[in-house]
Amino acid sequence: MQLEELERGQSVLIQVVIDATQHEFPTEIIEAPKGQYVLAAPIFKQGKIISFQSEKIITNLIVNIPNAKPHIFFHVKVRALKTSNGQFMYQIITDSPSREFNRRGAFRCYIGLPTSIRIGADHKALETTIKDVSLSGFSFVMPYGSQSYNTDEPVHTVLNEFINEKKMRFSMHLFGVIVRKEELDNGNVVYGCRLTSPVSGLEKYIMLKERLSIAKSRGM
């Protein structure tokens, strides 16, 4: 979905992410010009319009769609405006398409990075690959012939990546429990895990990876 497909009167949520904390502010589209922005109704607190312009927060736009999963526009710009007749509104800007949004599992970001992992009571470090990660969990791949693990076993791994395009290094400890496993055609096994504690910086990392992925797909 493109931003210009939104319609006047459509209900949306401005999602604000601060580290691992999320807040959602309901509003609605009041004008949808054909382009890379829409106008939304203002949200007030103690008589003043709430500002979403800060380098310390990430703002996303969630669109509820009847009889379908909601969609999310990642990393939108939200600017508070005041017209000449004194009317307040938000200008929401993005040139990126939305993604289907699963509130239970959250958006999954492909990683594909090798690392080591510790599973269950055995503290031996095993070689693995982090397949993907979301705000609620992650998955890892074990090679054909490796030991089988059961659900509810605790796991601990570290996600390390240096993103050269932005000269930024991320290092995050992921603690979770196994909730599912799936054998692939090649015999490898994918284990899905639920995070058991929030991970500081994970939302920022996922948003950055997604923006870079979109830019690469467009040849930018």
Side-chain angles (χ1 to χ4, degrees):
M1 173 187 292
Q2 297 291 338
L3 197 65
E4 63 183 22
E5 296 179 50
L6 300 185
E7 300 177 353
R8 180 181 297 182
Q10 192 163 6
S11 297
V12 295
L13 296 170
I14 297 175
Q15 183 190 65
V16 175
V17 182
I18 307 174
D19 291 327
T21 304
Q22 299 181 19
H23 304 277
E24 294 179 357
F25 299 84
T27 182
E28 68 176 38
I29 303 301
I30 58 176
E31 191 173 339
K34 295 299 181 182
Q36 296 177 353
Y37 76 92
V38 294
L39 301 177
I43 304 167
F44 292 97
K45 183 178 182 180
Q46 297 179 346
K48 295 183 179 180
I49 188 170
I50 297 176
S51 174
F52 296 105
Q53 292 181 259
S54 172
E55 295 181 355
K56 297 181 180 180
I57 67 174
I58 294 172
T59 47
N60 307 316
L61 184 69
I62 300 173
V63 182
N64 292 315
I65 302 174
N67 303 316
K69 289 183 179 179
H71 273 235
I72 183 168
F73 292 91
F74 287 108
H75 206 75
V76 300
K77 294 180 180 179
V78 182
R79 297 174 178 171
L81 303 178
K82 185 179 182 181
T83 64
S84 58
N85 62 3
Q87 180 183 4
F88 286 97
M89 64 186 67
Y90 292 117
Q91 183 186 47
I92 302 175
I93 307 169
T94 183
D95 62 353
S96 300
S98 66
R99 293 291 187 92
E100 195 174 81
F101 183 53
N102 186 333
R103 284 190 174 275
R104 289 186 302 171
F107 170 73
R108 292 182 181 180
C109 176
Y110 175 75
I111 305 298
L113 291 176
T115 187
S116 60
I117 193 167
R118 290 177 169 82
I119 305 174
D122 185 358
H123 294 290
K124 179 182 178 182
L126 305 170
E127 297 302 312
T128 188
T129 298
I130 299 177
K131 180 177 179 286
D132 56 39
V133 67
S134 74
L135 289 180
S136 61
F138 62 97
S139 67
F140 64 93
V141 183
M142 296 301 290
Y144 171 77
S146 59
Q147 179 178 337
S148 179
Y149 298 96
N150 299 318
T151 56
D152 294 327
E153 291 202 67
V155 297
H156 170 226
T157 188
V158 180
L159 194 165
N160 285 308
E161 183 174 8
F162 179 78
I163 298 181
N164 190 59
E165 293 91 337
K166 297 295 183 179
K167 306 300 180 186
M168 297 176 65
R169 181 174 297 280
F170 292 86
S171 182
M172 293 166 284
H173 287 265
L174 306 179
F175 293 91
V177 293
I178 296 174
V179 293
R180 60 178 176 83
K181 61 180 179 180
E182 176 187 1
E183 185 173 342
L184 303 179
D185 291 340
N186 60 6
N188 293 347
V189 179
V190 176
Y191 291 89
C193 302
R194 172 177 53 83
L195 286 169
T196 53
S197 59
V199 181
S200 178
L202 182 57
E203 174 80 5
K204 181 179 180 180
Y205 170 79
I206 291 174
M207 295 303 103
L208 178 57
K209 293 277 287 185
E210 176 64 9
R211 291 200 305 273
L212 292 174
S213 175
I214 291 172
K216 289 179 180 178
S217 69
R218 294 176 176 177
M220 299 172 61

